[in-house]
Amino acid sequence: MKRYIGIRIIYLILTLFIISTVTFFLMKALPGTPFDEEKLAQLPQEQKQMIYASYGLDKPVFTQYVNYIKNVAKGDLGTSFFYTGQKVKDIISSRLFPSALIGLQAVLLGLAIGMILGIVAAYRHNTGWDYATMIIAVLGVSIPNFVLAALLQYFVGLKWGLLPVAFWESYPSSILPSIALCVGVIALIARFVRTEMLEVLDQDYVTTAKAKGLGTMRIMFQHVIRNSLISVITILGPIVVNLLTGSLVIENIFGIPGIGSLFVDSIKMNDYSTIMGITIFYSAFYVLVMLVVDLLYGLVDPRIRLASGKG
Amino acid sequence: MKKKKLGLLASLLVVSAMFTGCSFSGSDSKPADSASGQTTSSAGSAKELKLYVENEIKDLDQWKASDDVSFTVLNNVNEGLYRLDLKNEPQPAMAEKVDLTEDKLTYTFTLRDNAKWSDGTPVTAQDFKYAWLREIDPKTGTNGYSFIMTDYIVGAADYAAGGSADKVGIEAKDDKTLVVKLTQPTPYFLRLTSLAPYFPMKEEFVKSKGEGYAIGADSMLYNGPYTLTSVDAASGAVLTKNAGYWDAANVAVDKVDLKVIKEKSTALNAYKAGQLDRVLLASSDVNASKTDPGFGTGINFKTTYLQFNLKADGVSNLNIRKALEFGFDSKLLADQVLNNGSKAATGMIPDEMSGIDGKSFRETQGGLVGVDAAKAKEYWEQGVKELGKAPKITMLVADTSEVKDVATFMQSEYKKNLGIDLVIDTKTSKARGQLMDNSNYQMAITAWGADYDDAMTYLDLWANHTPYRGNYESTNYDKLIADAKKETDEKKRLDMMLAAEKTLLNDDVVVVPIYFGGYSFLLNNKVQNLEYHPYGNPVDFKYADVK
């Protein structure tokens, strides 16, 4: 187990290195500079060059790359070009909390409701329950979350005044965005759980369990649901990463200072160090979540317990 | 057996995702009363303004900032020698008075005795000299605004190019006397001193903060009507009245809560919920809001225009350019498509920009451009004859929704009036800028916002011959600009600028103005004198009041 995790961490570092290298050169291929070109157009060429030089942008791209990787190895993600003087590390950590909180709430809420709906639908297969659940699921997938966000903002926030319209001021500010984000998760999870459960219900061991005279509840919880969770865990990884790392549209609609809008803005503004910082952070997070997902498989299904005994 | 470990790992993951200081920004400054949805500004004695900006507060370092949002904050927490008043006229601010020599080249500013920094120390002439030299030096003044000094101050251009700081015509004679020498008479110099790059800053303070200067409310020093209580790039800033400000007695509003809202619909909802005192309207909301008592419109000195690349195929032909100049109806565009307070451009210099003798530049000059389909068609046919074939025309535009709308409109107009199929090439702003810099375009939509209230802020642009400005080289035009800059007689100077605009638009057709920027807004009727300037610093909270 330890060895397995150790190897995975080595892979993680390798992955990060490759991702940052590719991102760095792709990013340098973006047109323009981090500066206000409209204003710089007024300056003589030499002065423009001096401005670039003061940020080390006059050096060959490869030299910039080597310097950057050296700094990252030391744990220094550099200083933003756009938010002058601010450390990329500080920017990311201050922007992460709102996105992560909203994302986490959306995942938990989506997971809970989605599983309940999926289980009910499978258990009451081909009944009104099933159809109702699947209609909800289809709606959840097909209504874009920003439409829902705008509706929630207008009705719950403005018309009924139950929750804040927007901004990030206190805990209630996080509720509407979480709801807007979780609907997609509900729909996805419900459909997955339903399909998986229907399949598991057809398995021989379920028939055996029934033949043994086990109670319906016991069969459902001990055998069916647990075995249906494998596929849920598989899709949960990307869902978690997606939601915890922010959503540009939802953040903009609710005026939330999250990391999703930071990433998009940094690309638009050629804020090199921030682009790199967030890329590295996202990748590391993604790879870590994948590791956790792999470990969770073993927890849910003993058949795929990893490298046990041999390591 | 391994469940514990896994559980631990899973919880670690959750914690790691939330490792930051878990706080809701802004909550420290204001107890959350969002549910009530009522405006509280009229109740109690403390007067508060609740406003927003449409982009992040990216930068409060005056030598690096170049965007409107940063200037919105800076202009209210700091102050230059002069400050614009409600009529957009410069009034003495840090300076108490100025003496100007006969040749209009040497300004002697006397600073106020009670001009103070927020740490209690007096604002000195040395603070201005330090800040200005730093702006001129390309190693520290990286906002690209140094031209706003190097174009005027003696020796500044040489210093920017690596020369000596001692030869720059900025002299701190004593603590309260600042002498500035200009290379040419500049009737709008006092207006320039109201701009953020001209703000003073205390050397000692900047040095003590080092790299951490201006990254937070406590790493800045203030000399304006407000101080920053808190600032966060993505959520906003809270400004509190500066009790030590020289004119504090005339500052009515105690607190300004400035949020960052990027979505127009969000801002409108927040305004309706009483959480904002003013909101800018999207074109689609304008018609529905016109009956609202808080409805109003305003203008910016910002002209959106079509820039021709005079070296590019097709548009290098004058008649083709003329055809494109007269081939679209910008009035229809402004009223029907934009519908946000923007006006059809009648020239390069926006309406209301100063001329002389109380008449605006535009009034004196009259309209130079406007749709004339028949004439446009004639020019086009003539151009095609000269070229031997009909050129393919491609228009380069940035990928913002407003510009894309404009491009689509012009495409349909050219189809209707000239019978041509315009190709629209949409790129990100950065990519568009690079293509223009590399002279790799035929014509492009671009815009320029005035830095100061004088036609020279526009006309000067085409005297630098860069690809970005269409590779325009005309000795006649350059001479008009150079002479106007030297001219001490305001009437003669204006005549030269009038001639320059005509040359640019009618004789050489280097650019085609499309529309003058404007905006529509809703304002809480309790708020008075909240002055949004059409140029330079965007807004002054100093004069505002909440009844």
Side-chain angles (χ1 to χ4, degrees):
Chain A
M1 184 76 177
K2 266 185 198 146
R3 187 180 151 159
Y4 175 76
I5 295 180
I7 291 173
R8 289 291 295 255
I9 287 175
I10 293 173
Y11 278 147
L12 181 139
I13 294 169
L14 200 68
T15 313
L16 288 186
F17 177 74
I18 294 170
I19 292 176
S20 33
T21 305
V22 172
T23 312
F24 192 90
F25 289 101
L26 281 178
M27 174 182 86
K28 286 291 173 181
L30 282 174
T33 67
F35 306 103
D36 186 341
E37 302 290 342
E38 194 84 39
K39 287 273 150 21
L40 290 193
Q42 290 308 103
L43 300 184
Q45 200 56 32
E46 310 82 60
Q47 284 180 43
K48 251 168 113 167
Q49 286 308 324
M50 280 169 88
I51 290 179
Y52 296 158
S54 64
Y55 288 90
L57 294 175
D58 55 332
K59 298 195 181 73
V61 174
F62 191 75
T63 318
Q64 293 181 37
Y65 167 73
V66 172
N67 289 342
Y68 183 77
I69 292 290
K70 271 188 202 158
N71 287 334
V72 171
K74 282 185 253 165
D76 178 10
L77 291 177
T79 313
S80 167
F81 287 94
F82 184 66
Y83 307 97
T84 316
Q86 313 259 13
K87 296 246 177 295
V88 170
K89 198 178 63 187
D90 298 344
I91 301 174
I92 293 180
S93 53
S94 74
R95 294 296 195 87
L96 190 58
F97 172 65
S99 298
L101 178 66
I102 291 170
L104 192 70
Q105 292 188 148
V107 171
L108 293 180
L109 202 63
L111 196 59
I113 301 178
M115 278 185 53
I116 293 172
L117 289 180
I119 292 169
V120 169
Y123 188 61
R124 299 260 183 248
H125 187 44
N126 282 340
T127 64
W129 287 97
D130 187 15
Y131 302 138
T133 310
M134 285 309 109
I135 288 172
I136 294 176
V138 170
L139 284 180
V141 170
S142 46
I143 297 178
N145 59 15
F146 55 87
V147 172
L148 188 69
L151 289 174
L152 284 172
Q153 181 178 62
Y154 186 74
F155 286 103
V156 183
L158 182 60
K159 284 276 160 198
W160 306 332
L162 298 176
L163 286 166
V165 168
F167 313 131
W168 191 248
E169 294 188 319
S170 56
Y171 179 74
S173 312
S174 74
I175 298 176
L176 287 186
S178 300
I179 294 177
L181 275 180
C182 85
V183 172
V185 183
I186 293 177
L188 204 60
I189 300 276
R191 287 170 63 93
F192 258 86
V193 169
R194 175 178 173 272
T195 318
E196 275 303 306
M197 273 187 64
L198 287 178
E199 202 169 295
V200 175
L201 280 169
D202 272 348
Q203 297 283 331
D204 293 343
Y205 59 82
V206 176
T207 319
T208 313
K210 274 184 194 156
K212 272 201 297 187
L214 291 181
T216 318
M217 278 300 147
R218 183 117 189 246
I219 295 176
M220 290 306 280
F221 283 97
Q222 280 265 307
H223 299 284
V224 182
I225 294 178
R226 187 164 168 176
N227 282 319
S228 314
L229 284 184
I230 296 172
S231 66
V232 176
I233 290 174
T234 313
I235 56 163
L236 202 56
I239 291 181
V240 166
V241 174
N242 253 335
L243 291 187
L244 264 61
T245 49
S247 149
L248 166 77
V249 183
I250 298 292
E251 283 167 14
N252 278 356
I253 290 178
F254 288 103
I256 289 162
I259 199 165
S261 51
L262 177 70
F263 194 29
V264 177
D265 287 349
S266 69
I267 296 170
K268 274 199 274 191
M269 293 301 150
N270 283 6
D271 186 352
Y272 300 135
S273 41
T274 308
I275 299 177
M276 289 304 294
I278 300 180
T279 306
I280 291 176
F281 170 76
Y282 273 17
S283 327
F285 189 55
Y286 192 83
V287 179
L288 272 177
V289 168
M290 284 306 152
L291 175 60
V292 173
V293 166
D294 285 353
L295 295 174
L296 280 179
Y297 280 144
L299 194 70
V300 174
D301 186 347
R303 289 174 303 183
I304 41 178
R305 196 149 287 172
L306 297 151
S308 54
K310 285 181 192 162
Chain B
M1 50 165 185
K2 279 159 189 158
K3 283 187 181 175
K4 251 188 200 163
K5 266 187 200 163
L6 288 173
L8 198 73
L9 212 84
S11 47
L12 259 179
L13 180 77
V14 172
V15 173
S16 75
M18 309 178 64
F19 67 85
T20 68
C22 303
S23 70
F24 289 82
S25 40
S27 55
D28 53 341
S29 57
K30 179 185 163 191
D33 63 340
S34 25
S36 71
Q38 289 299 309
T39 169
T40 50
S41 45
S42 54
S45 55
K47 290 180 174 178
E48 183 185 342
L49 266 181
K50 286 166 289 184
L51 302 168
Y52 73 105
V53 285
E54 291 186 298
N55 263 306
E56 302 191 359
I57 308 170
K58 62 168 210 151
D59 207 332
L60 294 174
D61 177 336
Q62 69 192 58
W63 302 291
K64 294 185 175 138
S66 65
D67 63 299
D68 269 4
V69 172
S70 306
F71 288 162
T72 294
V73 177
L74 282 174
N75 184 45
N76 288 291
V77 298
N78 285 91
E79 186 165 277
L81 294 165
Y82 275 69
R83 179 180 285 277
L84 297 186
D85 65 11
L86 288 170
K87 295 191 180 101
N88 303 312
E89 291 298 324
Q91 298 298 341
M94 281 293 110
E96 187 176 53
K97 64 182 176 92
V98 63
D99 294 306
L100 181 55
T101 50
E102 194 83 353
D103 59 6
K104 298 184 179 174
L105 290 177
T106 307
Y107 286 70
T108 306
F109 294 96
T110 309
L111 303 191
R112 275 176 208 286
D113 281 335
N114 53 354
K116 273 186 293 190
W117 290 107
S118 49
D119 64 359
T121 56
V123 175
T124 65
Q126 186 59 39
D127 297 338
F128 281 93
K129 183 174 177 180
Y130 166 72
W132 294 10
L133 286 179
R134 226 177 125 87
E135 175 64 51
I136 297 167
D137 183 353
K139 286 194 281 299
T140 45
T142 55
N143 53 9
Y145 254 116
S146 56
F147 69 87
I148 220 163
M149 290 182 183
T150 54
D151 284 358
Y152 309 101
I153 299 173
V154 167
D158 287 339
Y159 176 50
S164 159
D166 300 336
K167 297 202 176 115
V168 181
I170 307 166
E171 188 196 350
K173 250 196 169 148
D174 57 54
D175 276 0
K176 292 287 168 197
T177 314
L178 183 74
V179 182
V180 185
K181 290 200 169 71
L182 304 188
T183 53
Q184 72 247 353
T186 309
Y188 50 88
F189 186 68
L190 292 181
R191 294 176 193 278
L192 291 183
T193 66
S194 73
L195 295 171
Y198 273 94
F199 287 171
M201 193 37 73
K202 199 165 141 181
E203 181 169 10
E204 195 186 18
F205 182 83
V206 175
K207 290 208 164 133
S208 74
K209 293 293 171 190
E211 298 241 304
Y213 171 70
I215 61 169
D218 50 0
S219 60
M220 294 175 67
L221 199 58
Y222 312 101
N223 69 330
Y226 291 87
T227 60
L228 269 178
T229 305
S230 69
V231 61
D232 177 78
S235 44
V238 176
L239 286 75
T240 313
K241 184 175 166 179
N242 180 1
Y245 178 60
W246 66 271
D247 200 16
N250 291 318
V251 178
V253 173
D254 301 286
K255 181 181 156 191
V256 181
D257 189 356
L258 199 62
K259 290 193 157 60
V260 175
I261 307 177
K262 295 179 184 169
E263 282 290 326
K264 283 203 155 70
S265 59
T266 303
L268 185 60
N269 283 341
Y271 174 82
K272 286 181 180 162
Q275 290 173 15
L276 287 176
D277 288 320
R278 181 180 186 271
V279 63
L280 286 176
L281 295 168
S283 324
S284 51
D285 293 320
V286 168
N287 289 342
S289 305
K290 272 187 175 154
T291 50
D292 191 299
F295 181 80
T297 60
I299 57 157
N300 287 319
F301 284 175
K302 182 178 180 185
T303 308
T304 300
Y305 61 92
L306 193 61
Q307 171 74 58
F308 290 117
N309 178 2
L310 304 189
K311 286 190 178 157
D313 285 347
V315 294
S316 57
N317 181 291
L318 180 65
N319 283 315
I320 296 292
R321 294 203 300 275
K322 281 191 175 165
L324 295 166
E325 179 173 32
F326 293 109
F328 68 96
D329 185 352
S330 50
K331 192 164 171 359
L332 202 62
L333 170 76
D335 298 346
Q336 302 295 324
V337 180
L338 297 171
N339 188 29
N340 59 359
S342 297
K343 291 203 169 68
T346 47
M348 194 65 207
I349 311 304
D351 285 343
E352 294 182 39
M353 184 167 250
S354 296
I356 53 168
D357 303 331
K359 250 176 119 184
S360 76
F361 185 98
R362 202 64 280 141
E363 281 169 327
T364 316
Q365 177 84 293
L368 295 182
V369 292
V371 65
D372 188 335
K375 222 161 80 182
K377 186 83 187 156
E378 231 169 80
Y379 281 128
W380 181 262
E381 275 156 9
Q382 180 127 22
V384 171
K385 213 181 283 167
E386 285 163 15
L387 290 170
K389 63 173 171 98
K392 191 178 150 205
I393 307 287
T394 304
M395 182 153 74
L396 177 65
V397 300
D399 60 349
T400 61
S401 61
E402 183 169 301
V403 175
K404 280 197 279 192
D405 288 349
V406 173
T408 317
F409 173 81
M410 290 178 72
Q411 191 180 38
S412 71
E413 286 282 289
Y414 287 150
K415 178 85 193 166
K416 189 176 79 189
N417 296 333
L418 303 177
I420 62 167
D421 290 306
L422 177 77
V423 180
I424 299 174
D425 181 17
T426 311
K427 289 280 187 316
T428 63
S429 311
K430 293 279 183 191
R432 187 206 58 134
Q434 192 173 55
L435 286 172
M436 290 178 74
D437 270 338
N438 296 340
S439 192
N440 208 347
Y441 70 106
Q442 234 179 345
M443 58 188 205
I445 295 185
T446 179
W448 183 258
D451 292 310
Y452 46 88
D453 183 14
D454 187 275
M456 194 55 89
T457 189
Y458 284 94
L459 298 172
D460 189 26
L461 300 175
W462 287 274
N464 72 5
H465 313 155
T466 59
Y468 201 95
R469 307 289 173 213
N471 294 305
Y472 179 49
E473 298 200 29
S474 152
T475 42
N476 173 31
Y477 187 81
D478 291 356
K479 187 173 174 338
L480 282 171
I481 298 299
D483 288 351
K485 282 183 176 177
K486 275 184 248 140
E487 186 56 61
T488 47
D489 184 293
E490 294 205 6
K491 172 80 178 70
K492 283 185 192 154
R493 180 175 174 276
L494 181 69
D495 286 343
M496 291 175 197
M497 293 198 296
L498 291 168
E501 195 196 30
K502 273 192 188 131
T503 307
L504 195 67
L505 301 187
N506 291 3
D507 302 344
D508 295 340
V509 199
V510 184
V511 289
V512 179
I514 306 171
Y515 62 95
F516 297 143
Y519 53 88
S520 304
F521 62 89
L522 292 176
L523 178 70
N524 179 347
N525 54 21
K526 295 199 177 80
V527 177
Q528 294 174 341
N529 289 338
L530 178 59
E531 177 59 23
Y532 279 78
H533 301 296
Y535 66 93
N537 289 317
V539 58
D540 266 306
F541 304 143
K542 173 180 172 175
Y543 312 110
D545 199 355
V546 182
K547 293 287 169 201

